[in-house]
Amino acid sequence: MILPSSGQAFTGAGMTEHAGRTMSEDAGNTLRLERDGAVASLLIDRADKRNAFNIAMWQRLSELLAQADADPDIRVLVVKSANGGAFCAGADIAELLANKDDAAWRAENQRAINRAQYELTRFRLPTVAMVEGDCVGGGCGIALACDIRVAGPQARFGITPAKLGLVYPLHDVKLLVDLVGPGQARRMLFTGMLLGADEALSIGLVEELAANEDAMVAQLLAASPFSTQAIKGFVRNVLDGQVGDDAESLRVFAAAFEGADFREGTTAFVEKRKPKF
């Protein structure tokens, strides 16, 4: 597969072009999608609220994931703050307080969060969370739902429902336990403590410390998109409880030997050059 040139426009339903990049039309523009070449960035842009998510943003997240999934030229999705600083401070507490007595609103909010988190966790392409500042509560859940987490030097991670008399969604608790194990998950959840970037790396909450995501994304783009997507599916199946091959996993394994990426990868190996996927 040959990569599209950098700055190629990302067009589609609900998208507008500008300056070689594009963004989704979104009320308030608090959550938008931009594409530069084969990389799409899902940008959280609500700095005045430390990028806290409200219900409209959770609903919009599902829409933007669908838009990214529909573009065949996207190979990697990066989730990050549009302006650096806080990645996401979690839920919009003011909105929660305003609607705490509205059972219908609470149920819809829960549905929006659960749907967005489920879809992000199972998004077809590799996903990277670039965390530069605070990543707390629901914001930490978004990072957990990505495949790889890169933390900048000022990153801090915490899950704080226990400080508010609330609980964390079971789906997101499982994401945390899968990453750091039950002991560290309990420590984070019971105390609501904040972890710096170094400690987050040491317990397996993040995979890399770096000022930006560029090196990680470059490594992902250098790999076969067929391989990364298929392996991502296999890892998710294992985390969801699968312990042995089934007809589908055997089909995917066999299909690799007939694919264009296998031909390019093996040809490049023989010719002692980098493959061009």
Side-chain angles (χ1 to χ4, degrees):
M1 177 184 293
I2 305 300
L3 297 182
S5 60
S6 178
Q8 180 177 329
F10 177 20
T11 57
M15 312 300 287
T16 56
E17 297 183 21
H18 65 129
R21 297 167 71 89
T22 58
M23 63 177 57
S24 63
E25 297 172 340
D26 185 30
N29 216 25
T30 55
L31 196 65
R32 65 181 188 269
L33 195 66
E34 295 184 357
R35 181 163 85 82
D36 188 3
V39 181
S41 294
L42 201 158
L43 301 175
I44 311 169
D45 194 357
R46 201 184 184 205
D48 60 322
K49 300 292 186 181
R50 298 178 60 241
N51 285 343
F53 261 57
N54 56 30
I55 187 173
M57 294 169 72
W58 287 114
Q59 293 167 337
R60 186 60 171 159
L61 178 55
S62 288
E63 297 172 4
L64 295 180
L65 290 174
Q67 289 181 17
D69 185 60
D71 189 309
D73 293 324
I74 293 175
R75 291 182 52 193
V76 176
L77 178 70
V78 177
V79 183
K80 62 181 180 178
S81 170
N83 302 297
F87 176 80
C88 175
D92 185 329
I93 300 301
E95 183 183 58
L96 288 179
L97 290 175
N99 294 280
K100 64 182 177 62
D101 298 322
D102 186 339
W105 183 91
R106 295 198 311 269
E108 180 56 34
N109 186 57
Q110 182 180 21
R111 279 193 295 271
I113 294 171
N114 290 350
R115 177 184 175 188
Q117 284 291 95
Y118 185 90
E119 291 174 351
L120 179 57
T121 302
R122 290 156 180 80
F123 189 66
R124 175 176 57 89
L125 302 172
T127 55
V128 178
M130 178 64 225
V131 180
E132 299 174 73
D134 286 355
C135 180
V136 181
C140 197
I142 293 170
L144 292 170
C146 292
D147 297 316
I148 298 169
R149 284 144 294 280
V150 179
Q154 304 303 314
R156 296 194 305 172
F157 299 82
I159 302 176
T160 55
K163 292 186 174 182
L164 299 171
L166 300 173
V167 297
Y168 214 46
L170 188 143
H171 174 270
D172 298 356
V173 170
K174 183 180 187 305
L175 295 180
L176 180 65
V177 172
D178 286 341
L179 272 182
V180 305
Q184 293 289 0
R186 292 187 192 103
R187 183 172 74 112
M188 290 183 66
L189 291 165
F190 291 177
T191 68
M193 66 190 303
L194 292 177
L195 280 62
D198 289 337
E199 185 174 4
L201 179 68
S202 72
I203 69 170
L205 185 61
V206 303
E207 285 69 47
E208 181 174 277
L209 302 183
N212 59 59
E213 73 278 10
D214 294 350
M216 177 60 67
V217 168
Q219 293 178 67
L220 293 173
L221 292 177
S224 157
F226 173 88
S227 296
T228 54
Q229 291 175 43
I231 292 168
K232 173 172 179 169
F234 284 2
V235 171
R236 175 46 48 194
N237 288 347
V238 170
L239 291 173
D240 286 345
Q242 186 171 338
V243 296
D245 277 303
D246 59 12
E248 176 60 14
S249 66
L250 292 172
R251 183 197 68 78
V252 172
F253 183 88
F257 291 92
E258 301 174 359
D261 283 8
F262 174 71
R263 291 193 296 273
E264 170 59 17
T266 52
T267 300
F269 178 82
V270 171
E271 296 176 352
K272 296 182 170 55
R273 61 172 174 81
K274 293 182 179 180
K276 299 177 181 178
F277 293 117

